[in-house]
Amino acid sequence: MAQPASGRPVVFRNGIVLTMDDRHTVLPKGDVLVVDGRIAAIGPELAAPDGALEIDAAGGILMPGMVDTHRHMWQTAMRAYGADWTLTQYFVWYYLQYGKLFRPEDYAAGNLISALDAIESGVTTSVDWSHGLRTPDHGWAAYEALASSPGRYVFAYGNIHEAPWEWTADPEVRRILETSRDDERMFGTQVAFDVSDQDAAFPELDAYRAAKELGLRVTTHAGVWGATNDWGIRNAYEAGVMEEGFTYVHAASLSAESYQKIAATGGNVSLATESEDTCGQGYPPIHQLRRYGITASLSVDTSVWMSADLFSAMRATVNADRALEHYLAHQLEPAETVTHVKLRVEDVVHMATRGGAQAIGKDDEIGSLEAGKLGDVVLLKNEDSPTWAPLINPYGQVVYQAQRGDVHTVLVGGEVVKSEGKVVAGDLPGVRAKLDTTVAYLEREIGDDWIAGQFPEIPEAEVLYNPYQYKK
Ligand SMILES: [Zn+2]
């Protein structure tokens, strides 16, 4: 499980290669060579430089590192805590009751574990939707945690505890944004806020202007049932501040007009399908994005509820779209039968790779295995697992059969960060120790509510009267 010396060329041999390029090239048996941090060549039996690390990919699948466009990394410090929550319970907990308890070091601990979690599952680029930055000290701590972690991170700065037109005006916040923007260790910087007021005066306009002044993109939760809806899109559109490359997260409960405005301005949507399935933002809008021609990427949202890997996201997305398609056909008068599904497994692999790269404006650098792109490569292979035999349809294998334990090797910029199934970058024991401190602190501060918060009351369910009584 040697991590090769930094800068050593790496060649993967004899894998099925899902390039995710524009021609949909799949090599049934091919090599991928990474030299000086970039993909040098893809093809059969490549010549590799002397001293290259050879990795046997036979029986496995090579694909680009995956891209997650919306992950609240700080909340990984409370992994699985809110698995039975609704969006309402989430808002009450983080926004009203306990989100402010997070100290800069707790915030950083969440980011650090989330970063290792991401690369472990083959996600090499994540947009950290960092919306609990209630002081600049939190901002610096969050940023430093990302910059020092293995993997690529886009720091999307946000603060749910203050109005966006307030915190974006803070000179110290602007200094953090500028520092992150100009830091080569970062893969991008964005401004993250929601338009949650139905105020015709549109005070959020100042936050859009701040992003523009700083040369940064905006990412915003839009189309979240009961929280952000059409008025936010309407205000932004009328003010002319919806720009190409802005990301609309969820976009699950919007009108046709809003989808058209997103499409017309070159916006993209981050689907967090596991989240939309369970929290209540609205039905996952895959069918709407298809209808209006909007670029889709995938995201995991938050591990306080859901899984933190894009295998689950891809599967949830296919399932949600196909379930709706069948259901709607069955409700028609007369009922119809869907004989051919619209959304294909290749489409969701595309969303998890190219879609994400396009969403953050980095399609020329990541998202596909093509010569010249950054050396972010994932090898899926698990010889000990019966799930890997036979290996017939690689897209089907990735979406419906594979899981994070099958991620054998991960390269970020040619550096091995996961090898033979184990994360070999970062400091997992050190991060675990930080998390222990954070969880003990939260438990102490919150008291009895710590347990109660995990087990919301269950509404009464009535079992219907059944006229059939089966008697022997
Ligand atoms: Zn979110």
Side-chain angles (χ1 to χ4, degrees):
M1 213 151 34
Q3 193 184 357
S6 191
R8 185 178 171 192
V10 180
V11 62
F12 294 92
R13 296 288 190 197
N14 300 319
I16 297 175
V17 186
L18 297 184
T19 66
M20 305 314 294
D21 69 9
D22 287 338
R23 286 167 298 148
H24 307 259
T25 308
V26 178
L27 303 181
K29 188 178 177 188
D31 300 348
V32 175
L33 173 66
V34 179
V35 178
D36 292 333
R38 289 190 180 265
I39 297 168
I42 294 153
E45 297 173 33
L46 296 175
D50 286 345
L53 174 72
E54 301 255 348
I55 298 174
D56 178 13
I61 295 170
L62 289 157
M63 65 181 288
M66 289 179 267
V67 183
D68 178 350
T69 54
H70 152 243
R71 179 183 295 232
H72 304 291
M73 292 176 67
W74 63 290
Q75 295 178 344
T76 310
M78 289 179 59
R79 185 192 299 284
Y81 182 96
D84 285 325
W85 279 355
T86 61
L87 209 52
T88 304
Q89 282 144 356
Y90 169 86
F91 286 143
V92 168
W93 206 97
Y94 278 108
Y95 288 57
L96 301 178
Q97 291 181 317
Y98 301 121
K100 282 188 178 171
L101 289 177
F102 274 71
R103 302 162 300 181
E105 60 264 43
D106 305 314
Y107 209 97
N111 278 10
L112 292 168
I113 191 66
S114 186
L116 297 180
D117 199 344
I119 60 166
E120 204 266 339
S121 69
V123 172
T124 49
T125 299
S126 304
V127 176
D128 178 21
W129 224 101
S130 193
H131 63 343
L133 301 173
R134 65 184 176 83
T135 72
D137 284 348
H138 288 75
W140 288 115
Y143 155 55
E144 198 48 46
L146 297 179
S148 62
S149 286
R152 301 187 194 281
Y153 299 95
V154 175
F155 185 26
Y157 194 110
N159 177 4
I160 54 176
H161 302 295
E162 247 181 61
W165 55 93
E166 290 168 354
W167 60 262
T168 53
D170 182 338
E172 185 67 1
V173 169
R174 290 196 181 211
R175 208 161 73 79
I176 301 169
L177 286 164
E178 284 164 350
T179 308
S180 171
R181 181 194 64 195
D182 300 336
D183 186 342
E184 281 184 1
R185 297 174 299 169
M186 302 302 292
F187 206 52
T189 304
Q190 298 182 346
V191 183
F193 62 89
D194 298 339
V195 181
S196 40
D197 298 83
Q198 291 204 48
D199 190 343
F202 191 36
E204 291 87 354
L205 182 59
D206 286 348
Y208 279 100
R209 286 188 176 139
K212 178 105 178 157
E213 280 165 30
L214 291 159
L216 302 176
R217 292 178 173 206
V218 169
T219 177
T220 185
H221 292 96
V224 173
W225 180 263
T228 63
N229 281 301
D230 288 317
W231 67 80
I233 301 287
R234 193 182 312 126
N235 281 342
Y237 186 79
E238 281 168 12
V241 291
M242 288 172 73
E243 298 204 354
E244 189 175 347
F246 283 11
T247 297
Y248 303 87
V249 176
H250 302 304
S253 47
L254 294 174
S255 64
E257 214 176 288
S258 290
Y259 290 115
Q260 286 169 332
K261 286 170 182 166
I262 291 171
T265 54
N268 59 77
V269 166
S270 174
L271 296 164
T273 315
E274 273 199 332
S275 178
E276 292 128 28
D277 278 346
T278 189
C279 308
Q281 294 93 339
Y283 201 86
I286 306 109
H287 55 297
Q288 304 284 25
L289 307 186
R290 191 164 49 231
R291 187 176 293 157
Y292 296 104
I294 298 171
T295 298
S297 61
L298 298 183
S299 63
V300 304
D301 201 346
T302 172
S303 307
V304 76
W305 253 293
M306 279 77 60
S307 70
D309 68 84
L310 291 184
F311 296 103
S312 303
M314 287 188 279
R315 200 171 298 172
T317 301
V318 172
N319 290 344
D321 197 55
R322 292 181 181 176
L324 183 68
E325 210 183 348
H326 291 298
Y327 179 78
L328 291 177
H330 301 172
Q331 302 311 306
L332 292 172
E333 285 287 346
E336 288 183 8
T337 300
V338 174
T339 58
H340 293 69
V341 289
K342 293 194 181 81
L343 188 73
R344 299 305 168 106
V345 284
E346 181 185 348
D347 297 331
V348 289
V349 180
H350 186 277
M351 290 177 193
T353 53
R354 291 295 294 283
Q358 288 160 358
I360 60 169
K362 299 283 190 185
D363 195 34
D364 54 341
E365 291 280 48
I366 58 168
S368 59
L369 298 178
E370 293 180 86
K373 283 202 176 181
L374 291 166
D376 297 1
V377 185
V378 169
L379 169 61
L380 306 177
K381 171 172 169 166
N382 191 345
E383 285 172 326
D384 296 328
S385 167
T387 310
W388 281 79
L391 177 51
I392 297 170
N393 172 342
Y395 293 116
Q397 183 74 19
V398 170
V399 174
Y400 272 125
Q401 309 296 323
Q403 42 100 357
R404 64 159 63 227
D406 301 327
V407 176
H408 178 284
T409 303
V410 180
L411 297 194
V412 179
E415 301 293 321
V416 179
V417 295
K418 186 177 185 185
S419 176
E420 293 177 26
K422 289 226 162 75
V423 173
V424 293
D427 171 23
L428 182 56
V431 175
R432 274 182 183 277
K434 287 182 168 62
L435 282 167
D436 287 346
T437 308
T438 286
V439 172
Y441 157 76
L442 290 173
E443 208 174 334
R444 201 167 57 238
E445 290 292 314
I446 293 169
D448 291 345
D449 259 7
W450 175 255
I451 298 295
Q454 299 170 50
F455 301 102
E457 279 175 34
I458 304 173
E460 260 180 62
E462 185 192 357
V463 178
L464 296 178
Y465 168 71
N466 186 348
Y468 301 101
Q469 301 292 326
Y470 182 71
K471 292 195 185 78
K472 279 186 188 169

